[in-house]
Structures are given as C-alpha cells and as structure tokens.
C-alpha cells in the first residue's frame, strides 16, 4: 500500500506505508531461510557471550574477598573477550551481507520500475523526486545496512539478554533497575512524535533541492540565454536553505533527546547500587553478585543508548526505505521481445478519450484509422492534444476510454510501435552502442546500414558521444534516434515532432531522414512543419482533442477549412 506525502502535490511518486515496507523486507528474508536463520543465531550467540564477562567479574570479586586464586577468572575474562570479538565480527558480517542482498533485490526493483515509468508519469512527477529515490534514498538505506543495521541488531539483542540475565541473577536488583524504564519511555514519547514528521519533511526537502539543481543544470543554456542565473540561483539557495533548516532542527531535537536518556541511566544505576548495598548489609547477596548486577545494568548504557540514539538514523533510513518501496510497488511491466516482421498492420483508434489526473479530457472520442503502410500527418494548434494522441498510439499512455487496435485486435502496442519524440537523449558511450540500444545484438554492419538509411554520413561507430564525449547537434541526435528506429524495425512508427529541433538549415535533410526511416511502415507523424503534412498520404486535423478534418493535403487546402488556414499561415512565413 502506498500513500501520498502530506503537504505535497500529486507530482511526487507514491510512498509506501511502514507496514508495507516491513512486508517487502520480510518477504525477501523468507526467500533465504537458511541464511536468515544462521544470521539470527550468530547475532544471539554474540550478545549472549557478552554476559560472560560481568558474571566472571562478580565471581572474581568474591574470590578476592575469600582469598581464592584469581587466575582462573583472568583466563575466563580473556577467553570471553576473544569469543565476543569473533562472534560479534561474524554477526556483523552476516547481517551486512544479508542486508546488502535484500537491498540489492529492492534496488533492482526500484530501478526497473523507474526505467519502465510511462511517459505520462514521467511528465507528471518531479525529476528531482525520482533522482532522489534512486540516488539519495538508496545510498541512505545502503549506509544503514552496512553500518547501522548490525549495530542496532546487536544492541537490541544485548539489551534483551542482559535484562534476562539481570533477572536471573536477582529479581530484586532487576526490579531496582526498572526504575529507569518510565524515564526512558517519557524520553521516547517526547522524541518520536516530534522526529518522525521532521525526517519525512527532510527527505521531501532533499527531493525538492535535487529538482531545483537538476532543472537549473539541464536548462543551463536557456538560463544563460535569458540572463536568468540569479533567479535560478535564488531558487537553489532557497531549497538548500530549507533542507538545511530542517536538518539543523532535527539535530537540535536529537541533542535534547540525549540528556533525557542520560537522566534515565543515572537514576537506574543509582537504584541498583542502593538496593544492592541494602541486600549486602542484610546478607541476602554477596558483593560479587551486586558487582555483577551493576556491571550488567551499566552494560545496558551503550546498547540501549545506541538503540535510542539510532532512531536518528533508523527513522531517516526508514523514510528512505518507504520511498523506495513506493516505487518498487508500482505495477511491473513484463519483458517483451520486439516484433520484427515485414507485416505492416492497420491501426485503429476507437472512441479514445484521455486526460491527465482529475483534469478535463485532452482527447475526446477520437476515431482514427491508419491503413497498412499509410503515412498520416497529425496537425493542429498547440494544446490540441497531438502529443497525447501520439502517446496513446505508442502505448505510453492508457486512455480513460476507448481502445487502440492493430488489424482489428488488441495488441501490446509498445512491442509493435516505435516512438521518436522531439526530446532525444544521447547516452554516454560509443556511437555504435548508442544506436544499438534499439537492438543490443545488432552487428556493426547492421548499425552502419541503419545510419546510412537516415543519411548520417558523419557518424563514426567508435566516436564517444554523450556526457564526456562528442557533443551532437540537434539534427544529429535526431538522426541517431531515427537510426534506432530503423534498427528496431517496428511495424508501426510514431514521430512526435521529431524534426522540430532541426532548425531551418537542417530541416530538409532531417525530413528526408524521417521519410527514409519510416518507409513502408504504418506511420503517424505529429507534424511540426507542414511540409511534412504535404508529403503525407493523409492529413488529420486535431482541435481541442477532436478530429475536425481529414483528407489529403490537396483536398484540405482546396476545402478552405482549418488546415487551409494553417497552410496559408505557414507558406506566408516563407
């Protein structure tokens, strides 16, 4: 189960409940029963071995008082120290290894869901939120698993077994130590309600800070062009200051929690020593027994303080964990093999209606048919719904109503339709590997052939491109995207303003590349340039989410309707 974040918008990805996160972690542990059991037994043994030293020291005190030899007890202390060291190290290793394994499976699920997020979701959510979940949150949980989790698990078992040992030694001394419990409880009741919301707010603030940084860096050229650096710097400063203020507030709260813990420890130890003194005077217990009890109670200080102080890291890691599980719980997308068949199907949209969130429909009862191998241009004013229709046809958006059919039957659109959009990402690596994303097993000869189809005669397969490599122009990046389409060879193609970034100089070459890449395919072209519409088999005009005109370029120009007006304005621009 996932819930929205209080005080935030629906632009954030879902966040799981704490109970759901525990269920997910438990399911991963049950998949490894023997390893989990061995890890638990080793942790218990390490904590139990820690009880040996206080018991031996108590016996040593009585032996000294009775004039006995101390060397057997010294040997026992040395042996206990070695045993505790070995078992504690082994326990930490097993806990970290098991935790890292579970985290790796969860991290794989998070990355898998992130890579399969639909176009609609990616458009809606904040990029910084997604980046924070696959970056900051994973790092926070990983750090907790490798360092915090072994300590917390060991401390918890130490506290439990020490209390049991203290009770077995003498119930009255154990009851004296319980005087500290109400003070511990009061400290926790003061701290927990105040800290949990602040940790959640801190994670959200970090996501917003990441979003501001990502937006400013990715749009650096535009920011410079409009001399808008100061405003973006102010936004980043504001987000960073907010995250810092929340962090400082959390630390201040944590230090206040610390002195409340110390107060409980002092009161508890004083009670054990006071009761022990009375029992020794009455002859009910020995000095050694009281020494053992005091050492056992004092032994609680470290692990109990670690447990309570670790709420700082535990809650922060918990806040990150539920954010990761929120992404991992998104519906899985099954793996698919791309369809490479010479058959070019007919495509039909029947009564397609779609909108975003609770907003009004962007498409309303769209009826559209593309014949096998037909090239259809989709035109209309900005906001008419062209990109939404392209997303529905490409399988990136699931319409509110209606359906998309291939040859009259429902089909896995993402397996049959290749989409080339206006925004093209060039991945870091060789140019050949970048094109080969469409078909990882393609040979160099096939990659060269795909580049040749789109006229990318400038391309060298061994060139490094993307971050740290050769910087490609907008037309060159689009040629790479079109070459991927050729290599994937889908039967249906959707070009969503794929030539819009070419500029007037490269527009003609890129339009020729688009024609070559989609030759023979059933193709929908969201036409940014009406010259693309003029060369299409048919033109469809979309207005306010409805098809208002369709026909050939010549027919629509002659009809003198909306398309004719668009064409007249286009040609007037020269």
């Amino acid at each position: 189960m996932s819930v929205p974040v209080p005080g935030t918008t629906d632009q954030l990805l879902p966040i799981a409940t704490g109970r759901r996160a525990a269920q997910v972690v438990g399911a991963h542990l049950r998949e490894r029963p023997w390893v989990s059991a061995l890890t638990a037994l080793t942790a218990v043994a390490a904590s139990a071995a820690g009880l040996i030293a206080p018991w031996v020291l108590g016996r040593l005190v009585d032996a000294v008082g009775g004039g006995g030899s101390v060397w057997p007890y010294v040997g026992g202390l040395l042996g206990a120290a070695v045993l505790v060291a070995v078992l504690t190290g082994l326990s930490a290793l097993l806990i970290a290894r098991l935790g890292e394994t579970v985290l790796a499976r969860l991290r794989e699920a998070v990355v898998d869901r992130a890579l399969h997020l639909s176009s609609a979701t990616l458009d809606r959510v904040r990029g910084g939120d997604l980046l924070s979940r696959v970056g900051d949150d994973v790092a926070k949980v990983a750090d907790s698993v490798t360092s915090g989790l072994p300590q917390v698990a060991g401390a918890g078992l130490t506290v439990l077994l020490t209390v049991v040992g203290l009770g077995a030694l003498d119930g009255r001394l154990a009851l004296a130590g319980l005087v500290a419990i109400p003070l511990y409880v009061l400290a926790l009741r003061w701290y927990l309600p105040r800290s949990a919301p602040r940790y959640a707010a801190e994670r959200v603030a970090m996501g917003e800070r990441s979003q501001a940084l990502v937006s400013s860096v990715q749009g650096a050229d535009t920011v410079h062009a409009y001399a808008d650096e100061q405003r973006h710097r102010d936004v980043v400063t504001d987000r960073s200051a907010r995250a810092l203020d929340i962090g400082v507030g959390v630390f201040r709260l944590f230090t206040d929690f610390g002195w409340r813990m110390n107060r409980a420890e002092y009161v508890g130890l004083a009670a054990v020593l006071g009761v022990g003194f009375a029992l020794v005077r009455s002859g009910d217990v020995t000095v050694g027994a009281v020494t053992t009890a005091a050492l056992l109670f004092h032994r609680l200080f470290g692990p109990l303080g670690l447990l309570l102080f670790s709420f700082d890291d535990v809650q922060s890691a918990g806040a990150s964990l539920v954010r990761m599980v929120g992404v991992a719980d998104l519906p899985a997308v099954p793996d698919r093999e791309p369809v490479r068949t010479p058959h070019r199907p007919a495509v039909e949209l029947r009564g397609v209606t779609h909108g975003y969130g609770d907003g009004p429909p962007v498409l309303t009862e769209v009826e559209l048919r593309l014949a096998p191998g037909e090239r259809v241009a989709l035109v209309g004013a900005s906001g008419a719904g062209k990109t939404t229709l392209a997303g529905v046809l490409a399988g990136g958006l699931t319409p509110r109503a209606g359906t998309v059919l291939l040859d009259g039957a429902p089909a896995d659109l993402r397996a049959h339709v290749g989409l080339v959009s206006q925004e093209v990402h060039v991945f870091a690596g060789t140019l050949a590997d970048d094109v080969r994303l469409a078909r990882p097993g393609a040979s160099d000869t096939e990659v060269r052939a795909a580049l040749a189809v789109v006229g990318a005669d400038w391309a060298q397969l061994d060139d490094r491109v993307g971050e740290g490599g050769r910087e490609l122009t907008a037309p060159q990046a689009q040629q790479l995207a079109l070459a991927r389409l050729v290599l994937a060879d889908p039967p249906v193609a959707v070009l969503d303003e794929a030539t819009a970034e070419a500029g007037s100089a490269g527009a003609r070459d890129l339009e020729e590349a688009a024609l070559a890449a989609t030759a023979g395919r059933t193709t929908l072209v969201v036409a940014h340039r009406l010259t693309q519409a003029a060369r299409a088999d048919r033109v469809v005009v979309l207005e306010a989410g409805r098809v208002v005109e369709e026909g050939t370029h010549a027919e629509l120009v002659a009809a003198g309707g909306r398309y004719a007006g668009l064409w007249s304005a286009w040609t007037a621009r020269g």
Side-chain angles (χ1 to χ4, degrees):
M1 178 181 177
S2 297
V3 296
V5 185
T8 62
T9 71
D10 62 356
Q11 290 178 306
L12 290 173
L13 290 163
I15 295 178
T17 62
R19 181 178 181 182
R20 174 56 187 161
Q23 290 173 343
V24 170
V25 172
H28 283 295
L29 292 176
R30 287 192 296 273
E31 292 174 359
R32 301 160 183 83
W34 293 109
V35 175
S36 299
L38 177 61
T39 301
L41 287 173
T42 306
V44 171
S47 297
L51 298 177
I52 296 175
W55 179 79
V56 172
L57 282 170
R59 298 293 299 270
L60 175 60
V61 169
D62 288 338
V64 170
S69 174
V70 300
W71 294 112
Y73 300 104
V74 172
L77 289 174
L78 291 175
V82 172
L83 181 63
V84 169
V86 171
L87 289 176
T88 300
L90 181 60
S91 174
L93 175 65
L94 291 176
I95 291 174
R97 184 171 182 177
L98 179 61
E100 284 282 12
T101 302
V102 172
L103 177 62
R105 301 289 86 78
L106 181 58
R107 181 168 54 229
E108 290 167 2
V110 171
V111 173
D112 177 73
R113 300 302 188 275
L115 292 175
H116 285 90
L117 286 175
S118 67
S119 300
T121 302
L122 288 173
D123 289 340
R124 187 176 69 252
V125 304
R126 300 173 183 172
D129 183 46
L130 180 58
L131 180 63
S132 179
R133 298 202 191 200
V134 298
D136 292 341
D137 289 331
V138 171
K140 185 65 181 179
V141 176
D143 180 65
S144 178
V145 165
T146 55
S147 59
L149 182 60
Q151 294 178 358
V152 169
L157 287 170
T158 297
V159 169
L160 177 63
L161 294 179
T162 299
V163 170
V164 172
L166 189 58
L169 179 67
D170 190 286
R172 292 165 294 184
L173 294 172
L175 288 174
L178 293 180
V179 172
I181 296 299
L183 296 177
Y184 282 125
V185 172
L186 287 174
L188 282 174
R189 291 190 63 180
W190 177 87
Y191 178 67
L192 293 181
R194 291 169 172 80
S195 60
R198 296 195 186 187
Y199 281 113
E202 185 180 32
R203 303 309 302 172
V204 172
M206 291 176 66
E208 292 178 343
R209 181 183 61 189
S210 297
Q211 173 65 30
L213 289 169
V214 168
S215 298
S216 297
V217 172
Q218 289 182 343
D221 291 339
T222 303
V223 172
H224 292 324
Y226 288 95
D228 200 24
E229 293 91 347
Q230 186 59 48
R231 187 177 67 84
H232 280 263
R233 189 181 300 113
D234 290 342
V235 171
V236 173
T237 300
D238 177 71
R239 299 293 189 276
S240 300
R242 183 170 184 271
L244 177 62
D245 288 343
I246 294 175
V248 170
V250 167
F251 181 75
R252 185 180 295 112
L253 189 72
F254 182 66
T255 55
D256 288 343
F257 177 54
W259 73 260
R260 287 174 166 82
M261 293 297 304
N262 292 335
R263 179 182 60 187
E265 293 168 354
Y266 298 150
V267 170
L269 184 58
V272 170
L273 291 175
V275 172
F277 177 76
L279 292 175
V280 169
R281 289 196 64 179
S282 64
D284 290 342
V285 297
T286 65
V287 174
V290 175
T291 301
T292 300
L295 290 173
L296 286 176
F297 188 83
H298 188 272
R299 185 172 180 265
L300 290 174
F301 288 6
L304 191 56
L306 175 64
L307 275 180
L308 298 176
F309 286 136
S310 66
F311 273 100
D312 181 51
D313 292 327
V314 168
Q315 291 203 98
S316 184
S320 293
L321 179 63
V322 294
R323 285 161 56 84
M324 290 175 62
V325 173
V327 176
D329 270 350
L330 291 172
V333 177
D335 293 332
R336 58 178 176 81
E337 288 293 330
V339 177
R340 298 181 178 88
T341 172
H343 174 63
R344 309 307 187 193
V347 179
E348 187 176 1
L349 283 76
R350 292 184 181 176
V352 169
T353 297
H354 187 65
Y356 298 96
D358 297 327
V362 179
L363 299 176
T364 305
E365 297 181 358
V366 172
E367 301 282 343
L368 179 63
R369 187 178 190 277
L370 286 70
E374 183 183 23
R375 182 182 181 85
V376 174
L378 185 65
V379 302
S382 178
K386 303 186 298 298
T387 294
T388 300
L389 192 149
V392 170
L393 178 53
L397 299 175
T398 301
R400 289 180 181 175
T403 186
V404 181
L405 306 175
L406 299 186
D407 283 337
D412 179 4
L413 296 176
R414 297 184 65 182
H416 292 77
V417 183
L419 172 66
V420 180
S421 66
Q422 179 178 344
E423 297 180 5
V424 178
H425 183 78
V426 179
F427 293 87
T430 66
L431 187 144
D433 288 341
D434 199 286
V435 177
R436 201 176 275 120
L437 287 168
R439 183 151 57 92
S443 65
D444 284 351
T445 300
E446 290 172 314
V447 173
R448 287 192 183 94
L451 290 166
V453 169
V454 299
D457 51 7
W458 52 269
Q460 299 295 321
L461 298 191
D462 294 332
D463 281 354
R464 305 291 299 185
V465 295
E467 185 176 355
R470 175 180 176 179
E471 185 174 352
L472 302 183
T473 65
Q476 288 174 335
Q478 286 290 354
Q479 281 182 310
L480 251 62
L482 291 169
R484 292 175 192 158
L485 180 71
V486 172
L487 195 62
D489 193 24
V492 181
V494 174
L495 305 186
D496 184 9
E497 298 189 352
T499 64
E501 296 295 326
S504 57
R508 173 69 63 176
D509 291 340
L510 200 53
E511 286 179 16
E512 293 296 334
L515 280 171
T518 57
R521 308 183 200 281
T522 307
T523 304
L524 178 71
V525 180
V526 177
H528 175 76
R529 300 176 178 276
L530 290 191
T531 50
Q532 295 174 285
R535 303 175 71 177
D537 298 320
R538 184 159 50 97
V539 179
V540 173
V541 181
L542 202 64
E543 184 174 290
R546 297 179 183 271
V547 175
V548 295
E549 284 184 338
E550 59 180 306
T552 66
H553 167 74
E555 290 171 347
L556 295 181
V557 170
R562 291 177 175 83
Y563 180 76
L566 292 172
W567 179 254
S568 176
W570 175 263
T571 54
R573 293 169 50 187

